[in-house]
Amino acid sequence: MPAPTSHVVTNQPPPPHVPDPLRADPALRAALARNAPPWAAALAARASAFAGDPENHALATLANESPPRLRGWDRYGHRVDEIEFHPSWNTLMARAVALGLNGVAWLEPRRGAHAARAARYLLWGQVEAGHGCPITMTYASVPVLRQHPEIAADWVPRAGASVHDPRPLPVPQKDGAILGMAMTEKQGGSDVRANTTVATPGDGGWLLTGHKWFCSSPHADGFLVLAQAPEGLTCFLVPRLRPDGSRNDIQIQRLKDKLGNRSNPSSEIELWGAFATPIGPLGRGVPTIVGMVNHTRLDCILGSTATMRAALVAAAWHAHHRSAFGRPLVRQPLMRAVLADLQLEYEGAVAMAMRVARAYDDGHAGDAHARGFMRIATAITKYYVCKRTPAFVAEALECLGGSGYVEESGMPRLFRESPLNGIWEGSGNVMCLDVVRALSREPEAAAALHDALRAPAGRDARYDAVLSRVERAMADRDAAEGSARQWVEDLALLLQAGELLEAGPPDIAEAFCASRLAARSATFGALPPGVPLEVAIARALEL
Ligand SMILES: Cc1cc2nc3c(=O)[nH]c(=O)nc-3n(C[C@H](O)[C@H](O)[C@H](O)COP(=O)(O)OP(=O)(O)OC[C@H]3O[C@@H](n4cnc5c(N)ncnc54)[C@H](O)[C@@H]3O)c2cc1C
């Protein structure tokens, strides 16, 4: 008997397949060409091939469906403190390392390595976010480790190796190494000066005793840890194994049961006289670790932008293939407004993400102005992009209707992931306070921001109006802290608009300024009348 009409599957989109996400993303292509050297294109193309490979998306699903488990003891009762992973995790790690997302950028003699890496991160980050955490911490540890040349000699080449080596061996015997960090304690995360972990000299090094409330990837080969030495808060490298190969005194208490980021083990640990080596001057732990934190914050921007992009691709794919009320969703005027608005949000985010990454190249090459820009633009952009991501993903999820709420669409994973970067490495308020602090205490950062904001002035009346407003708000030192969210948001939008006015397609810049500078809506798709949408829609659908 032929199947009744009601049993035939119709009007369901085919499984999403974007084999070359870079080719499908004109905004990233333009930002790559503008901010990275020409040699970065071939590396980005390789990352794109990886990111478009359905096998990697299947691995991402597996790694999240089979989260890591803590094995505290062996069968005889000895502590082992091991993390058991599904094999998909190590394959994802190996691929991320092969793409050079770990510390490779620091070993690249050619200028432009950080922007080149950023483009690869933006592509590969669309596949899976959890393993990005140890990859990021490895990348970000390098500038801190380099403050101690003897340690750096062993660790830095391995942090930048092109192979992932999960074997539990002392680092000099390994082909590749990964790093983590442990700053956050129960009584204070943002306020690290409240740390109570104690460091005392002994055993040919230092011994650390204390508790860390968050330590992601506790299987890493080493951790940058803040602890109170007699001289004050100090940064230490704590290896997972002591130099003689025995287990260091780090006990993993439990793994956190988290909202998202499930493939990545985040733990509570106790240090019981753990062997450690100070990095940077004793008592200068905060300025030392800031060298890492700036880079992890850059990756928060990249990771959240990649999450936005993955959500947008899913929404555009669905709207293209699904019809409702007689025509494809993508032809329905309100759906067009939503997709266009999401594309505009992504355009601003990706343009700025790559612009900030370029400042890392120029800043590390000795350009003081770029260093100031990198400092302040990282804080501003991290605040805004990470804050926008959950609302963005929720809207994209809704474009899939009920299917978007169903696990196998992949959207729930993106949604669970979306708030994380807003918390990690400086929550929203802390980022705004960091902007206040940089403006008042770091003249290089204040000057770089001033110049960046002034460069596009005079090109667009809406830009100039917001610039005047923000300059007045910043000048009011008494009110500056309490209203910081408002004017840091303005700063973020001005920086994004400036990039688009300078280099974006005119219709994208126009629509961005009309919808974000002249008027602003709390939801996506509520665009003011007359905003040109067609270019944004076409770019969203270039799949
Ligand atoms: C999945 C995950 C993984 C993590 N991995 C690690 C890791 O590997 N290593 C590590 O060290 N940490 C890690 N963290 C911890 C993370 O960095 C902290 O949670 C974060 O820095 C905030 O610290 P807290 O949780 O103590 O919150 P608090 O510092 O108590 O902040 C709570 C709230 O108060 C706000 N706030 C703080 N100070 C002020 C102020 N002066 N004015 C106004 N508002 C303020 C904050 O913005 C925040 O919203 C991880 C967190 C998560 C969620």
Side-chain angles (χ1 to χ4, degrees):
M1 165 181 150
T5 315
S6 59
H7 290 209
V8 178
V9 179
T10 60
N11 196 24
Q12 283 286 349
H17 180 43
V18 182
D20 186 351
L22 179 60
R23 196 195 53 73
D25 187 347
L28 176 55
R29 286 203 311 274
L32 174 68
R34 181 164 152 78
N35 294 291
W39 55 261
L43 297 174
R46 182 161 174 255
S48 185
F50 272 46
D53 184 343
E55 186 203 337
N56 288 325
H57 291 271
L59 290 170
T61 304
L62 279 173
N64 283 275
E65 284 176 352
S66 320
R69 290 189 316 179
L70 171 62
R71 191 167 155 262
W73 292 266
D74 70 10
R75 60 186 286 200
Y76 305 105
H78 304 114
R79 277 206 88 103
V80 289
D81 296 285
E82 282 172 2
I83 308 292
E84 292 175 345
F85 288 100
H86 187 273
S88 51
W89 166 271
N90 279 320
T91 309
L92 288 169
M93 286 292 293
R95 293 189 181 167
V97 165
L99 288 172
L101 303 183
N102 56 349
V104 174
W106 300 102
L107 306 176
E108 169 62 62
R110 294 173 290 185
R111 187 153 161 180
H114 294 279
R117 171 187 178 273
R120 303 197 296 277
Y121 201 110
L122 286 165
L123 289 159
W124 182 247
Q126 295 172 40
V127 175
E128 207 278 326
H131 78 292
C133 173
I135 291 292
T136 284
M137 292 192 291
T138 304
Y139 163 68
S141 299
V142 172
V144 177
L145 295 172
R146 278 185 167 168
Q147 295 188 30
H148 196 309
E150 264 176 56
I151 290 206
D154 275 338
W155 286 77
V156 171
R158 291 171 178 87
S162 56
V163 289
H164 171 55
D165 181 353
R167 292 175 300 161
L169 292 173
V171 159
Q173 297 171 33
K174 295 190 66 163
D175 297 327
I178 61 165
L179 285 120
M181 65 179 182
M183 296 192 282
T184 310
E185 298 189 358
K186 281 189 277 231
Q187 72 285 356
S190 313
D191 185 6
V192 290
R193 289 183 197 276
N195 274 194
T196 58
T197 295
V198 175
T200 46
D203 221 5
W206 286 70
L207 301 176
L208 267 50
T209 302
H211 184 283
K212 294 289 174 180
W213 183 232
F214 272 94
C215 176
S216 291
S217 297
H219 59 290
D221 296 293
F223 308 89
L224 292 178
V225 178
L226 289 181
Q228 302 286 359
E231 293 79 359
L233 195 64
T234 300
C235 178
F236 291 87
L237 174 67
V238 179
R240 183 124 177 76
L241 301 179
R242 286 167 173 264
D244 65 5
S246 61
R247 284 181 56 244
N248 205 353
D249 293 294
I250 309 167
Q251 295 183 0
I252 305 173
Q253 301 303 304
R254 59 174 170 165
L255 298 188
K256 304 266 197 194
D257 182 7
K258 296 175 294 183
L259 168 67
N261 205 252
R262 295 208 180 139
S263 65
N264 177 33
S266 299
S267 66
E268 295 161 25
I269 59 168
E270 280 182 1
L271 306 165
W272 287 90
F275 175 83
T277 309
I279 310 274
L282 296 173
R284 302 282 298 156
V286 172
T288 302
I289 203 98
V290 161
M292 176 183 197
V293 168
N294 280 333
H295 295 85
T296 47
R297 287 179 177 170
L298 169 64
D299 275 15
C300 289
I301 300 170
L302 299 174
S304 289
T305 306
T307 298
M308 281 187 182
R309 177 65 192 166
L312 174 56
V313 166
W317 181 274
H318 189 88
H320 181 69
H321 290 282
R322 172 92 167 169
S323 293
F325 299 97
R327 52 183 168 174
L329 283 172
V330 76
R331 303 239 62 80
Q332 298 286 4
L334 264 179
M335 184 58 91
R336 293 175 81 71
V338 170
L339 289 176
D341 207 2
L342 292 174
Q343 177 71 25
L344 292 174
E345 188 75 21
Y346 172 67
E347 295 264 358
V350 77
M352 228 11 236
M354 287 299 296
R355 173 69 190 88
V356 175
R358 184 177 97 210
Y360 280 71
D361 284 310
D362 297 341
H364 291 315
D367 177 338
H369 197 265
R371 209 167 43 235
F373 184 74
M374 139 191 156
R375 165 74 183 88
I376 191 119
T378 302
I380 295 168
T381 308
K382 183 204 183 269
Y383 168 69
Y384 187 69
V385 170
C386 298
K387 188 74 42 208
R388 291 288 281 174
T389 305
F392 186 107
V393 177
E395 195 64 60
L397 181 156
E398 194 177 315
C399 291
L400 276 72
S403 301
Y405 203 70
V406 173
E407 201 62 42
E408 60 192 353
S409 72
M411 302 306 277
R413 172 152 62 86
L414 292 178
F415 188 58
R416 287 192 296 269
E417 201 62 50
S418 63
L420 175 53
N421 287 329
I423 299 169
W424 194 56
E425 291 302 86
S427 311
N429 289 349
V430 171
M431 294 317 303
C432 290
L433 293 174
D434 193 44
V435 176
V436 174
R437 182 192 156 85
L439 287 175
S440 61
R441 299 211 198 151
E442 299 175 43
E444 214 175 55
L449 178 65
H450 175 269
D451 291 352
L453 292 173
R454 280 275 142 203
R459 296 177 65 151
D460 184 282
R462 296 157 298 191
Y463 182 99
D464 295 346
V466 176
L467 181 56
S468 302
R469 182 170 80 207
V470 86
E471 284 178 343
R472 278 196 307 276
M474 289 194 297
D476 182 358
R477 293 274 173 219
D478 294 337
E481 181 172 327
S483 61
R485 278 190 178 229
Q486 195 176 13
W487 56 264
V488 173
E489 178 173 323
D490 276 348
L491 287 174
L493 286 168
L494 287 172
L495 289 174
Q496 293 189 358
E499 279 300 294
L500 295 176
L501 283 166
E502 206 155 300
D507 273 9
I508 294 288
E510 168 58 30
F512 190 93
C513 292
S515 59
R516 280 141 174 88
L517 298 182
R520 216 172 284 174
S521 166
T523 58
F524 286 96
L527 294 168
V531 173
L533 302 183
E534 294 312 310
V535 174
I537 303 266
R539 284 159 78 89
L541 291 174
E542 241 183 69
L543 299 177

